[in-house]
Amino acid sequence: MDGLKSQQVTFKLFRFNKDTDYLPYYNTYVLDVTHEEVILDVLNRIKWDHDGSLSYRRSCRHGICGICSIKVNGKAILACKARIFDLINVFGADMTIDPLSTKRAIKDLIIDKEDFWDKHAQVKPFLVTDVEENPSLENLVSPHDAEKLLEADYCIQCGACHYSCPALEINDRFIGPAAFAAAFRFAADVRDDSSLERLHIVNEETEGVWDCVKCMECAEACPKDVNPIEKITKLHNMIFDTGIAKDNVATRHAVGFAHSINKHGLLDEGELVRYSEGNIGVMKHLPEAFEMWKNGKIVMPWNMPKSKNLDEVKKLIESSSTVKF
Amino acid sequence: MQMLRYALYTGCTARESTPELLKSTLAVAEKLGIELVLLDEASCCGASHLQDYDDFLSLVLNARNICYAEKLGLTMVTICNTCQLNTAMTKHRLDTNPELKAKVNVKLAEVGLEYKGTSEVTHFLYAIIQDYGLENLAKKVNVPLSQFNIAPFYGCHNIRPSELQNLSNGGENPYNPTSLDDLIIACGGNNVDYDAKNKCCGFHAELQSPHTAAVLTGNALSGAIDANADWMVTPCPLCHLKLDVQHHGASKAIGREVSLPVLHMPQMVGLALGCTPAELGLQHHVTKVNFV
């Protein structure tokens, strides 16, 4: 074993059997691990040498099937890709291994991903197009057009982003980052005929892209660098570009920034809330606004600060705007 | 030590709803002998919302802001995580895409500006840690915060996406960030560990998804309270607005009364350096700072 670095690591392993256990519990194993091992190696060693009843999903062992995704100390990983020594660098030698979503656990690290697949199905994750049943030529896509997908097609549906999304954890109608990335993948495909239908689906309040909290957890969690938040932003842009944006609090909130910057350079915070919510909707913010005013946190319209050289900002907004609402 | 000089991009919030942030930033800079040149020409960063509406316009406006730091030949420091994200993202996209940079510069030329990519963009928190140094800061502490358990709240847009943020935040890992903890320790305080410290406060969905936003705020406050924190500290004024102003809504959403004083990062440093409450604008807080 020349050149093999090894270190002792404590693994706390989530255990639960939905059929027999009332509550989950943790088993602790202290193991010597080498710098060559990934988390899947450790799970295998525990199952084969210590407790054959440990359950987890594994298949390709090459980071492509997406089935072995779990969480280590809250970080979503592919068990077959995550090197233990890399994790030691981040967390030290104590690691808690959990399923992607503890509340969906069926047996140990295996979860019921039904909600994930339902959300996927919701955005119609397939090409909708008229093709000849027996085509004589391939349906070619130019490299330039293929680049428009922004590598959204690299998604392996492991669920790492989906189960790292805090908005989804609270609002179970939210479609979530993985399905949004899939919606973009097909909406951006030049061969697809259903882009607009998909954009309508992700444009819905409560379910659609507007409820994203912009925490960037999905970009961080993805083991394939799909960067779902980038696709979510693109979907926002496409909703405006195609003119299907509805007049509601979420769209006015985005557009309000342009209005405010055009007027002051800076954002008029109070006016943005009024513009977004409307004259009646803004009322519900009055108690908080009063508290803020009492403590010197509200700038009155007549005292609104402005950027120096505001004429430059106005000129740039006029010449560089690409969208109308 | 050579005097540190930066171009300060205040963002909008520090000039409006969190005046105490600008005040305490300037007070701390003066105590530490750091010169901050205010970028009064700068406009709003778009806060990730203008980006949803008109991506190209947001690039042009953010590039213009950076131009003014470049004109001064200074690194731009931000005091808002979301300003940091959008400014650093603009810089990264323009610096790695000559075609896009040229397109943006065509527009900037109309107002006599050119984006070159010569100024770095970093948050004041990381400027203090990396340029000033925590050891040097610790030497200047004359009111150690040793009687306080302080819960750090990092704010998403300083730590994620790490691929971008690591260009300026010293390689902080978003799953186990340490900078704010280290700063608390340098100020003599006791750093408190809790699950929500690197999570989202909900600010950006506050209007369109109020329940989600309120639960996230509640989770952060209750996590800090359960970890026995006396108060919280954050480098982001948007997190501050959620945690300091909106605890009533948060309490209602999670079914538990949660309220805790929250200090801006420079306010905490200022307390340790012996600044007065008035110098740090502590009177502006909605959740009263009752321990000084």
Side-chain angles (χ1 to χ4, degrees), chain A residues 51-174:
Chain A
D51 185 347
S53 73
L54 175 66
S55 300
Y56 51 97
R57 286 186 174 125
R58 65 195 158 96
S59 180
C60 79
R61 212 214 170 285
H62 287 285
I64 196 65
C65 77
I67 201 109
C68 67
S69 47
I70 52 171
K71 281 185 181 170
V72 174
N73 290 8
K75 174 179 162 61
I77 54 139
L78 293 180
C80 72
K81 246 187 105 182
R83 293 161 64 96
I84 296 169
F85 271 49
D86 290 344
L87 292 167
I88 292 172
N89 282 339
V90 180
F91 298 115
D94 288 311
M95 292 179 199
T96 303
I97 301 182
D98 283 307
L100 271 185
S101 169
T102 52
K103 68 182 178 192
R104 294 178 178 83
I106 298 171
K107 177 94 196 323
D108 304 334
L109 303 177
I110 296 173
I111 63 164
D112 179 355
K113 270 172 82 172
E114 188 185 8
D115 71 305
F116 175 88
W117 299 116
D118 285 350
K119 299 289 169 60
H120 247 81
Q122 199 178 336
V123 301
K124 301 186 183 295
F126 41 80
L127 206 60
V128 180
T129 185
D130 268 336
V131 283
E132 277 180 61
E133 216 167 294
N134 301 300
S136 53
L137 287 169
E138 287 172 278
N139 196 357
L140 290 178
V141 176
S142 72
H144 175 74
D145 284 337
E147 275 174 20
K148 289 179 184 162
L149 304 187
L150 302 175
E151 300 183 350
D153 50 336
Y154 283 19
C155 176
I156 56 172
Q157 303 175 326
C158 65
C161 64
H162 186 85
Y163 295 111
S164 298
C165 172
L168 197 50
E169 188 69 18
I170 296 163
N171 166 14
D172 59 16
R173 286 177 59 199
F174 187 54

Side-chain angles (χ1 to χ4, degrees), chain B residues 27-28 30-32 132 134-148 183-189 267-276 279-280:
Chain B
V28 163
E30 199 186 323
K31 284 264 183 197
L32 296 177
Y132 192 85
L134 288 177
E135 279 176 25
N136 292 326
L137 176 69
K139 281 182 214 153
K140 291 244 182 179
V141 168
N142 51 22
V143 188
L145 307 174
S146 48
Q147 74 270 41
F148 300 120
L183 188 73
I184 292 168
I185 294 165
C187 291
Q267 288 180 313
M268 175 184 76
V269 177
L271 279 183
L273 295 176
C275 295
T276 65
E279 283 172 325
L280 301 174

Side-chain angles (χ1 to χ4, degrees), chain A residues 73-76 90-92 164 166-167 170-171 205-206 210-222 225 227 232-234 236-238 240-241 249-250 253-255 257-258 261 265-270 272-273 276-277 284-285 288 291-292 295-299 304-313 315-325, chain B residues 9-20 40-57 60-61 64 68 85 89 93 107-108 110-111 113 156-157 159-163 173-176 198-200 202-213 215-216 219 238 240-241 244-249 264 283-286 288:
Chain A
N73 290 8
K75 174 179 162 61
V90 180
F91 298 115
S164 298
I170 296 163
N171 166 14
E205 286 179 80
T206 311
W210 304 103
D211 286 58
C212 167
V213 293
K214 302 186 185 294
C215 64
M216 312 279 149
E217 291 272 10
C218 55
E220 203 60 49
C222 178
D225 288 337
N227 196 359
I232 293 171
T233 304
K234 288 282 175 196
H236 279 110
N237 294 156
M238 290 161 93
F240 280 115
D241 289 342
V249 61
H253 185 235
V255 179
F257 275 78
I261 296 170
L266 298 175
L267 178 72
D268 184 338
E269 296 170 326
L272 178 74
V273 177
S276 308
E277 294 277 19
K284 62 175 174 281
H285 298 286
E288 268 159 14
E291 283 297 315
M292 292 175 73
N295 292 291
K297 282 178 165 290
I298 300 266
V299 173
M304 182 56 209
K306 288 188 192 310
S307 302
K308 228 165 100 182
N309 303 354
L310 181 58
D311 53 318
E312 288 176 12
V313 175
K315 202 169 168 187
L316 288 174
I317 290 181
E318 204 187 314
S319 75
S320 310
S321 289
T322 60
V323 194
K324 284 273 174 290
F325 179 61
Chain B
Y9 176 33
T10 64
C12 309
T13 313
R15 305 226 184 206
E16 296 176 58
S17 53
T18 59
E20 71 277 7
D40 288 327
E41 298 86 354
S43 63
C44 172
C45 74
S48 309
H49 298 290
L50 179 66
Q51 285 73 0
D52 286 343
Y53 174 54
D54 193 333
D55 182 56
F56 182 69
L57 176 62
V60 171
L61 293 176
R64 174 182 169 274
Y68 279 98
L85 172 75
M89 185 75 91
R93 285 175 64 188
K107 298 297 174 189
L108 290 174
E110 293 171 10
V111 294
L113 293 169
C156 301
H157 294 171
I159 55 175
R160 283 183 293 268
S162 58
E163 206 179 322
N173 192 291
Y175 294 102
N176 191 16
N198 54 352
K199 299 291 191 308
C200 177
F203 180 87
H204 287 279
E206 188 189 323
L207 296 184
Q208 57 275 43
S209 196
H211 178 68
T212 298
V215 172
L216 289 172
N219 289 348
L238 308 184
H240 191 272
L241 281 170
D244 174 56
V245 179
Q246 308 206 340
H247 55 92
H248 290 303
H264 297 279
Q283 74 276 13
H284 288 298
H285 290 225
V286 170
K288 285 301 159 198

Side-chain angles (χ1 to χ4, degrees), chain A residues 37-52:
Chain A
E37 284 183 291
V38 293
I39 290 287
L40 183 60
D41 293 320
V42 165
L43 295 179
N44 287 340
R45 278 167 61 190
I46 293 172
K47 185 173 179 71
W48 296 337
D49 301 343
H50 298 275
D51 185 347

Side-chain angles (χ1 to χ4, degrees), chain A residues 187-199:
Chain A
D189 193 312
V190 288
R191 300 164 297 177
D192 188 69
D193 295 331
S194 262
S195 290
L196 208 56
E197 189 189 353
R198 263 185 224 99
L199 289 177

